[in-house]
Amino acid sequence: MPNDATADLIRSLADAMGPVDGWESLAMILEFGEGFRSAHGFAYSPGDVITPVACKWSSIEASVDAYLDGRYRPGDKLPVKILVQFDRTAGKYEVTFEDTDEDRWAVKPKNFRTMREQLRPKFD
């Protein structure tokens, strides 16, 4: 069971990604770039329907800050990316931090088909 900050983070991402009918799982990449923040990923629905999604940072900022406050002290270097995977039918989640590799989980036109499968939540 996720702690409160993790549950709030997942809930805010799901709410902010916009309406996606019948989604069962999601994978969201939170990016902490030099002077910018972004949140984007995929929602996975039955029938192999995969919907690209994004969140307006201002709609998730409070939840992200609360989540990070439980893991980092003021002034600590933040990760460059965080991958949040959640399967709402199974109630399972995973949060993975990337501290240095800005290209990890990079979704680009020539790799988006493979990346959306690599990012799909798969919990054993």
Side-chain angles (χ1 to χ4, degrees):
M1 193 69 188
N3 65 34
D4 288 345
T6 304
D8 288 345
L9 175 63
I10 292 169
R11 189 175 308 108
S12 74
L13 292 172
D15 290 346
M17 73 179 182
V20 178
D21 289 336
W23 69 274
E24 293 179 338
S25 60
L26 65 84
M28 295 292 288
I29 301 163
L30 308 180
E31 293 192 57
F32 303 90
E34 187 96 16
F36 78 93
R37 304 283 186 262
S38 72
H40 56 91
F42 300 97
Y44 303 89
S45 302
D48 276 337
V49 176
I50 302 170
T51 306
V53 294
C55 300
K56 189 173 174 185
W57 193 264
S58 60
S59 65
I60 62 169
E61 187 170 15
S63 304
V64 173
D65 288 348
Y67 181 81
L68 294 173
D69 285 349
R71 283 152 183 76
Y72 295 92
R73 292 193 172 106
D76 283 355
K77 184 172 169 44
L78 294 177
V80 294
K81 294 183 180 182
I82 298 174
L83 173 62
V84 179
Q85 296 170 299
F86 175 61
D87 182 327
R88 76 177 181 179
T89 57
K92 295 183 178 185
Y93 71 96
E94 188 170 315
V95 179
T96 307
F97 294 79
E98 176 52 56
D99 293 322
T100 58
D101 184 0
E102 293 182 10
D103 288 329
R104 187 172 183 192
W105 309 314
V107 180
K108 299 178 180 180
K110 69 180 187 178
N111 77 352
F112 81 93
R113 285 182 182 85
T114 56
M115 284 305 297
R116 65 187 185 185
E117 285 306 321
Q118 286 178 13
L119 296 172
R120 181 191 292 266
K122 297 177 189 86
F123 303 110
D124 296 327

